[in-house]
Amino acid sequence: MNKIHVLDINLANQIAAGEVIERPASVVKELVENSIDAHAKSILIKADNAGRTFISVEDDGDGMGRLDAKTSFLRHATSKIYDQFDLFRIKTLGFRGEALASIAAISQVKMITSDGEVVGSEINISGEDMLISDAPLRKGTLIEVRELFYNTPARLKYLKSDYTETSAIIDAVSRLALAHSDVAITLFIDDKLRLKTSGRANLHETIMNIYGVFTAKHLVAYKIETPDFKVTGYLGKGELARSNRYGIITNLNGRNVYMPKVQTAIINAYHDFLADTRYPFVVLDLEIEPGLVDVNVHPSKREVRFSKENELNEMLIRTIPTFLLDQDLIFDPHPEKYQPQEVVARPYVEQTQFDFSHKNSAIENVPQEQFLKMSDIVEIAPEAEVRQKPRQRITSIAQLNLTYLVCEDGEGGFYLIDQHAAAERINYEKFQTELNLNLKVKRPLIPLVLDYSLSEISAFDEEKLQALASVGIVLEPFGNSSFRVVEVPLWTEEYDEKIYVTSMIEQVLQNGVTNQSQVRTDAIATMACKASIKANMRLSIAEQQILVDMLFKTKNPYTCPHGRPTIIQFNKYQIEKMFKRTGV
Ligand code: ADP
Ligand code: MG
């Protein structure tokens, strides 16, 4: 008996649909991408019950004529590429011609579309039935998707909680909105406004629309350009740090993509500004000559690679700190002062994907007029040269808990300075100069032999030895499973050379850090920490003042080498406000 037969077309479509449409958020993403590809300037998205029962996407894009409208639901039907050659120059978000066919295979779909030329079309699809009728001529497309996965119960069962599915929708829409500031995107979930962007082609404004005013106020504009690539966007200051990497958003040629190496480079670039377990908030637009981008035709892959990625990464590591340092980075301990203005719809994706430490109650159904106007935005735009006037000399007046220096600024405010963090910063910059400018080496005072397991020994490749040599540590094999330290930096003399050597080897061996500038940064931070005065150490007023003066002479007085704040400021206004004296 024959056992092989060709699958019924509907069943085949349902199976294929699983690859493109995993969850309601995938429907939203595919439909919104289609609207963007169709040159929409404004897109309205609605979802009910986390997208399970209803999703609609309405746009003012090109629309479709009758025949295109019908064809669009066929698998591999696309207007976006013609041949293989086109595949290498894709500028549109879609190109596989699979989304509409997939969605129609697993839900009930209504499309109303018109190219504004003859008469509009309404198409209703349910299972195998397709009903076509005339519709108004308004140019654009509306697609409604009902009862998603109604005929694939297994898929339906695998959906997560409403909360998680809703978060995924908001996340997908946020990413699309950030990659397309020139499109006004509005999202309602269960009739509540969740997100709304202005579409004025201003990334800073779009970030504010999505993440709120506090975020918008703590950004630094970033821009670099080489013949091969151009990078523009915003770097979050320390206040916006999170406990996960989801706040690092990269768009490549208008497409939100995941670039693992670029992400690592960005994290490394922030090394000096954030604590080890914190990750930056960053939104960057990369424009790269399309010929350099690796073509990636896998349907679900968000991951992209391109040649010259190393050049880009080095550039990021080198320039991000410069941009950050060009700003006043005194830690702002008062997120609440931004709250009255915080009228934008804040996605509640915050709790799952993003770690917003300054979350306030989700604001729902915000009337249109309450969205910030351009005039408000200009005022907070980080590009506006807001460099502070030169600071008054800061005088230490007391030591608190043998840990913090209480200082006056001569303008009615005060500062708290963490003495250990301050000393670390001072030493860090000192060692940085020594390590970078004149790395003198010497033989260790006491012979140092370090034992390792055989697997560790075999992990010591040339790259790792080189990385260690770049920070003045030269090793030589000694017996079967040991190394002898032949050289250490001269400056370890004053401190503890063994601690320096072992902690650097640990970095390189266990954490696999071999990027030379990263190894150097780690080396310097390690020494700075070990050599610095600690908390719980009594300092005389004179010693306190030396520390404060030295701190303000450093290039980045605002954070310790591990990125924690060194200084917290309370200005006169804030103090008066706390005592409710404002307006007196
Ligand atoms: P792809 O986007 O990969 O081409 P889709 O299945 O998502 O495949 O869409 C098929 C085709 O339908 C598109 O190529 C486009 O021509 C048309 N289309 C889909 N959505 C819209 C829309 N909102 N406005 C205009 N045309 C659309
Ligand atoms: Mg598409």
Side-chain angles (χ1 to χ4, degrees):
M1 197 183 78
N2 296 332
K3 284 185 253 173
I4 300 181
H5 61 101
V6 174
L7 286 180
D8 162 69
I9 179 76
N10 274 309
L11 184 56
N13 274 344
Q14 282 173 16
I15 293 170
E19 289 188 10
V20 187
I21 307 298
E22 280 175 61
R23 60 199 307 187
S26 336
V27 173
V28 172
K29 174 174 174 284
E30 292 292 338
L31 295 181
V32 174
E33 286 188 348
N34 281 346
S35 297
I36 292 170
D37 283 345
H39 312 102
K41 285 283 138 229
S42 168
I43 302 175
L44 172 64
I45 307 152
K46 292 181 186 163
D48 289 344
N49 296 308
R52 290 166 208 268
T53 54
F54 180 77
I55 293 171
S56 77
V57 173
E58 186 175 0
D59 69 50
D60 60 354
D62 301 336
M64 283 174 270
R66 178 75 45 103
L67 186 59
D68 278 353
K70 280 196 278 182
T71 322
S72 67
F73 287 101
L74 298 178
R75 191 160 295 280
H76 309 303
T78 180
S79 57
K80 299 169 193 174
I81 52 173
Y82 283 92
D83 53 30
Q84 235 177 340
F85 178 67
D86 282 351
L87 210 48
F88 291 84
R89 307 174 292 151
I90 293 160
K91 292 225 176 68
T92 50
L93 297 171
F95 56 84
R96 292 168 279 112
E98 283 187 309
L100 290 186
S102 299
I103 294 168
I106 48 172
S107 68
Q108 286 151 17
V109 176
K110 174 197 279 195
M111 173 199 273
I112 297 178
T113 187
S114 165
D115 57 8
E117 274 169 27
V118 196
V119 61
S121 309
E122 171 169 337
I123 295 186
N124 281 279
I125 298 181
S126 177
E128 284 166 65
D129 306 325
M130 182 190 266
L131 281 173
I132 303 168
S133 55
D134 288 351
L137 192 60
R138 198 191 65 81
K139 193 174 162 197
T141 303
L142 162 69
I143 296 185
E144 293 179 351
V145 175
R146 290 190 166 77
E147 305 305 329
L148 185 63
F149 300 130
Y150 76 101
N151 52 0
T152 51
R155 287 255 151 210
L156 198 56
K157 217 175 80 191
Y158 277 105
L159 290 184
K160 307 249 167 57
S161 67
D162 277 9
Y163 182 85
T164 308
E165 295 301 337
T166 305
S167 300
I169 293 175
I170 297 172
D171 185 48
V173 175
S174 305
R175 287 174 184 277
L176 285 160
L178 286 169
H180 301 277
S181 295
D182 56 338
V183 184
I185 297 183
T186 308
L187 168 67
F188 283 90
I189 290 179
D190 296 327
D191 293 326
K192 285 174 192 139
L193 179 63
R194 288 299 180 186
L195 183 149
K196 183 175 174 67
T197 64
S198 70
R200 280 189 283 233
N202 176 330
L203 178 60
H204 184 243
E205 189 182 6
T206 306
I207 296 175
M208 186 182 67
N209 292 155
I210 296 175
Y211 299 103
V213 177
F214 184 80
T215 299
K217 285 217 181 196
H218 292 87
L219 296 174
V220 176
Y222 177 78
K223 181 173 181 184
I224 56 167
E225 197 165 355
T226 77
D228 295 319
F229 46 78
K230 181 174 161 193
V231 186
T232 52
Y234 292 93
L235 309 171
K237 297 185 187 177
E239 287 88 340
L240 305 182
R242 297 139 180 260
S243 57
N244 59 46
R245 298 167 178 239
Y246 293 116
I248 305 175
I249 294 172
T250 45
N251 300 318
L252 175 63
N253 298 343
R255 184 189 294 258
N256 177 252
V257 291
Y258 171 54
M259 304 172 86
K261 286 188 174 163
V262 173
Q263 201 174 65
T264 308
I266 294 171
I267 293 167
N268 287 343
Y270 266 90
H271 182 274
D272 197 7
F273 297 87
L274 299 178
D276 279 350
T277 53
R278 306 291 282 166
Y279 297 94
F281 174 83
V282 169
V283 182
L284 292 183
D285 284 334
L286 286 70
E287 283 170 47
I288 294 165
E289 169 54 41
L292 297 177
V293 181
D294 279 359
V295 201
N296 162 11
V297 290
H298 188 280
S300 60
K301 259 202 178 167
R302 259 181 72 218
E303 197 177 318
V304 168
R305 282 165 200 270
F306 72 103
S307 50
K308 310 249 179 168
E309 200 166 322
N310 287 343
E311 280 93 325
L312 171 69
N313 292 344
E314 272 163 30
M315 191 80 141
L316 291 169
I317 295 184
R318 195 154 46 76
T319 56
I320 287 179
T322 342
F323 277 83
L324 288 172
L325 281 174
D326 201 32
Q327 303 286 317
D328 192 338
L329 294 175
I330 289 191
F331 199 79
D332 179 354
H334 298 284
E336 64 287 352
K337 77 185 176 206
Y338 301 98
Q339 286 187 0
Q341 285 162 284
E342 204 134 1
V343 294
V344 274
R346 303 289 302 278
Y348 59 76
V349 67
E350 291 170 5
Q351 289 173 352
T352 47
Q353 301 265 345
F354 298 131
D355 163 37
F356 278 73
S357 32
H358 310 296
K359 192 179 166 337
N360 54 356
S361 60
I363 295 150
E364 295 159 353
N365 275 328
V366 184
Q368 180 67 32
E369 325 64 86
Q370 280 188 37
F371 285 96
L372 288 189
K373 295 180 293 297
M374 202 54 193
S375 51
D376 301 321
I377 292 145
V378 173
E379 192 224 331
I380 60 165
E383 300 99 315
E385 297 271 326
V386 283
R387 298 228 58 169
Q388 289 221 328
K389 56 182 170 6
R391 199 170 284 108
Q392 302 260 341
R393 181 163 192 236
I394 290 166
T395 8
S396 186
I397 50 173
Q399 194 185 16
L400 189 68
N401 292 337
L402 301 182
T403 302
Y404 306 105
L405 309 183
V406 183
C407 308
E408 274 183 322
D409 65 2
E411 291 180 342
F414 71 92
Y415 292 72
L416 290 176
I417 295 181
D418 179 323
Q419 68 186 42
H420 175 63
E424 265 189 283
R425 164 54 58 192
I426 295 162
N427 282 325
Y428 179 78
E429 295 199 2
K430 184 176 134 212
F431 291 129
Q432 200 167 34
T433 321
E434 296 196 30
L435 190 58
N436 289 341
L437 295 183
N438 53 348
L439 182 59
K440 296 208 187 77
V441 291
K442 55 153 195 156
R443 291 191 84 78
L445 289 179
I446 315 153
L448 256 178
V449 173
L450 307 163
D451 301 324
Y452 290 98
S453 73
L454 284 177
S455 69
E456 283 172 321
I457 289 280
S458 60
F460 266 111
D461 53 16
E462 195 48 42
E463 194 189 14
K464 296 201 172 75
L465 291 173
Q466 205 72 57
L468 288 168
S470 75
V471 290
I473 299 172
V474 177
L475 304 178
E476 173 180 281
F478 189 69
N480 263 344
S481 61
S482 303
F483 276 106
R484 183 168 52 196
V485 183
V486 213
E487 275 177 9
V488 293
L490 187 60
W491 47 263
T492 54
E493 215 158 70
E494 288 174 54
Y495 310 103
D496 186 331
E497 52 191 40
K498 183 156 185 200
I499 290 182
Y500 176 71
V501 171
T502 49
S503 52
M504 285 321 298
I505 292 181
E506 187 183 299
Q507 265 299 70
V508 172
L509 205 59
Q510 280 165 15
N511 303 340
V513 182
T514 49
N515 172 303
Q516 296 212 350
S517 69
Q518 183 63 36
V519 178
R520 272 165 186 256
T521 316
D522 291 341
I524 296 161
T526 306
M527 275 317 282
C529 179
K530 304 288 182 239
S532 296
I533 50 165
K534 301 285 177 236
N536 287 316
M537 196 189 260
R538 186 175 299 283
L539 301 178
S540 70
I541 283 279
E543 286 167 331
Q544 293 169 27
Q545 193 58 46
I546 291 172
L547 195 65
V548 172
D549 289 345
M550 283 173 74
L551 177 64
F552 278 100
K553 284 207 192 89
T554 62
K555 280 188 278 173
N556 176 9
Y558 313 113
T559 50
C560 83
H562 304 98
R564 288 182 290 275
T566 47
I567 309 169
I568 290 181
Q569 181 187 12
F570 295 82
N571 64 32
K572 186 173 170 217
Y573 170 77
Q574 288 159 343
I575 299 169
E576 287 181 341
K577 198 161 161 227
M578 284 185 271
F579 285 107
K580 311 242 180 280
R581 291 177 63 129
T582 27
V584 174

